[in-house]
């Protein structure tokens, strides 16, 4: 069941997503070579708590941290720990916060120092694909229109669009209906309506779209070991387009 949010609910979601946005902006300023991913997690946890919110990832399905930190070939759901961030790494950070019962969710991929043109382009295309998708959204648009816009843009650069993981509805629960794929066919899929809130999150690989899970039961990596980038925002469908809540 896909819910239409009330103005009251949307107001709380705006605040939750601003907290997530500001947390990611803070992490982008702080992240540097020599830090561990656990140190990043502590910064995020403290920021969210000081913002009168709760880290939504912590304990979710047993996840042991407040953010996901995924480096290079890690696509998503990397667990923060003692791994040291190094010059040339790309680090995808996924962050969620709950404010008065409502969720915010967003992700960014940060380049650490000199990452070279190949990784830099991957990050930029992944980010831009989100905005290409938003161009087709409004009341009455279909999920297939969104998926096709993201997929066709990224595949135009020869990149792999992850199939095994998708975006999602969001509200009182972090993951609500509908599933929001980053691939699809124009004119197919659920018809979106004004008042729906969804998390759109392209996960784009330098090589194959195929992925696998590590033995930790969480971390998803590219099957060919090539880098991956992740960009996500929570959006509100409006009559004429979208309002991006986490920007």
């Amino acid at each position: 069941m896909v819910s239409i949010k009330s103005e009251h609910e949307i107001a709380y979601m705006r605040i939750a997503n601003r907290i997530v946005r500001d947390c990611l902006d803070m992490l982008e300023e702080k992240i540097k070579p020599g830090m561990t991913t656990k140190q990043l997690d502590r910064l995020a946890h403290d920021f969210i708590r000081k913002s009168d919110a709760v880290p939504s990832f912590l304990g979710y399905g047993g996840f042991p941290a407040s953010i996901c930190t995924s480096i290079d070939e890690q696509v998503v759901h990397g667990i923060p720990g003692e791994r040291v961030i190094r010059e040339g790494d790309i680090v995808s950070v996924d962050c969620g916060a709950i404010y008065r019962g409502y969720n915010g969710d967003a992700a960014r991929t940060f380049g650490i120092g000199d990452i070279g043109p190949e990784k830099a382009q991957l990050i930029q295309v992944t980010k831009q694909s989100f905005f290409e998708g938003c161009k087709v959204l409004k009341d009455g648009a279909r999920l297939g229109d969104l998926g096709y816009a993201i997929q066709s843009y990224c595949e135009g650069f020869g990149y792999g669009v992850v199939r095994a993981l998708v975006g999602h509805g969001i509200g009182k629960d972090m993951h609500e209906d509908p599933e929001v794929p980053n691939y699809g066919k124009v004119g197919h899929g659920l018809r979106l309506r004004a008042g729906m809130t969804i998390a759109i999150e392209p996960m784009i690989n330098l090589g194959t779209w195929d992925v696998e899970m590590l033995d930790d039961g969480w971390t998803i990596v590219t099957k060919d070991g090539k880098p991956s980038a992740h960009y996500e925002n929570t959006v509100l469908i409006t009559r004429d387009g979208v309002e991006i809540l986490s920007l």
Side-chain angles (χ1 to χ4, degrees), residues 24-242:
L24 287 166
D25 287 348
M26 177 273 296
L27 293 176
E28 184 173 20
E29 288 182 6
K30 299 282 190 183
I31 193 169
K32 62 185 178 184
M35 292 181 74
T36 65
T37 52
K38 191 173 185 177
Q39 287 174 305
L40 269 191
D41 182 67
R42 173 48 60 183
L43 287 170
H45 179 89
D46 291 347
F47 183 95
I48 293 167
R49 294 298 296 166
K50 287 175 183 174
S51 302
D52 196 28
V54 176
S56 50
F57 295 178
L58 184 60
Y60 186 88
F63 191 76
S66 295
I67 56 173
C68 301
T69 53
S70 307
I71 299 178
D72 281 354
E73 77 284 354
Q74 296 176 346
V75 182
V76 286
H77 303 161
I79 301 172
E82 300 307 322
R83 180 166 177 177
V84 175
I85 297 164
R86 303 193 184 282
E87 174 95 11
D89 285 344
I90 60 173
V91 184
S92 296
V93 178
D94 197 350
C95 181
I98 304 167
Y99 180 80
R100 302 203 178 175
Y102 287 88
N103 279 270
D105 190 9
R108 307 283 185 263
T109 299
F110 304 130
I112 311 303
D114 182 8
I115 58 172
E118 193 174 55
K119 286 181 175 179
Q121 179 177 275
L122 176 65
I123 292 173
Q124 179 54 39
V125 169
T126 301
K127 178 179 179 178
Q128 184 58 35
S129 72
F130 166 86
F131 294 100
E132 295 298 318
C134 285
K135 289 177 183 178
V136 308
L137 293 181
K138 61 180 180 179
D139 184 75
R142 291 188 180 273
L143 280 174
D145 303 343
L146 168 64
Y148 178 80
I150 293 170
Q151 178 183 11
S152 59
Y153 182 76
C154 293
E155 289 182 347
F157 290 86
Y159 297 152
V161 178
V162 173
R163 308 290 203 275
L165 301 145
V166 297
H168 50 92
I170 183 170
K172 282 187 175 179
D173 294 320
M174 183 163 57
H175 294 105
E176 298 182 351
D177 290 334
E179 291 192 342
V180 182
N182 299 304
Y183 56 92
K185 294 182 179 178
V186 173
H188 288 68
L190 177 78
R191 198 178 291 280
L192 296 166
R193 294 299 180 197
M196 290 181 180
T197 46
I198 59 174
I200 303 167
E201 50 178 320
M203 291 157 274
I204 309 301
N205 301 342
L206 190 63
T208 178
W209 54 263
D210 207 3
V211 298
E212 58 191 6
M213 184 183 290
L214 296 184
D215 291 342
D216 63 16
W218 283 103
T219 310
I220 304 295
V221 298
T222 58
K223 206 151 194 180
D224 58 9
K226 292 183 178 179
S228 181
H230 185 201
Y231 187 83
E232 176 185 20
N233 284 301
T234 298
V235 309
L236 167 68
I237 306 298
T238 66
R239 189 169 64 83
D240 299 318
V242 295

